[in-house]
Amino acid sequence: KPAGLDKAVGVMGGAFMKDPVDQRWAGDPNAKAYRAWLAKYYPGADPADTLITYGYNAAVLMVRILKDCGSDLSREHINDVANNLHDVQLPMFLPGVLVNTTPQDHTIVGTLQIVRFNGKGWDPEGGPVHK
């Protein structure tokens, strides 16, 4: 912003999370829930801070893993569940960006959406790119 957003028009990048301040997600139920959570639990936070958004997704994933473990919260079982996630859609991940893990590959984010800055937000270019 300090240099002027107009100077960044056309810049391309890779994204995997929804930008909670982008109007594209204004009506999205998951983005609304995230903004409500942020207002309740961290009212002074900058909603554009992607580290907070990532932490929110990480917490949602941890809750999912623990629920999937049921009553067996042993280290071995938690690891087994965490290492065998299939097509998990996190609330603030972009559509098509799914969590898939195996015992050999613990990568949480294996998909990116190519995006182009339009001066106000990010427009997707094509479909998601998988590793």
Side-chain angles (χ1 to χ4, degrees), residues 11-15 113-117 122:
V11 168
M12 296 181 76
Q113 172 66 58
I114 303 302
V115 291
R116 183 185 306 268
F117 189 65
W122 297 91

Side-chain angles (χ1 to χ4, degrees), residues 2 4 19 23 28 50 52 55 57 63 70 75 77 83 88 98 118:
D19 178 350
Q23 287 304 304
D28 179 74
T50 57
I52 299 170
N57 278 311
V63 168
R75 177 185 174 99
H77 190 60
N83 288 325
V88 176
L98 304 174
N118 65 23

Side-chain angles (χ1 to χ4, degrees), residues 9 39 48 54 73 108 113:
V9 171
Y54 188 82
L73 296 177
I108 299 298
Q113 172 66 58

Side-chain angles (χ1 to χ4, degrees), residues 35-96:
R35 290 189 299 271
W37 172 86
L38 197 60
K40 181 177 180 179
Y41 294 106
Y42 195 5
D46 176 2
D49 186 336
T50 57
L51 292 176
I52 299 170
T53 311
Y54 188 82
Y56 178 84
N57 278 311
V60 168
L61 184 58
M62 189 72 230
V63 168
R64 161 74 185 264
I65 290 167
L66 292 173
K67 283 183 177 178
D68 286 354
C69 285
S71 61
D72 183 356
L73 296 177
S74 67
R75 177 185 174 99
E76 294 78 20
H77 190 60
I78 292 171
N79 279 331
D80 183 53
V81 170
N83 288 325
N84 290 285
L85 298 170
H86 304 288
D87 295 334
V88 176
Q89 176 71 60
L90 295 176
M92 291 300 290
F93 273 17
L94 292 171

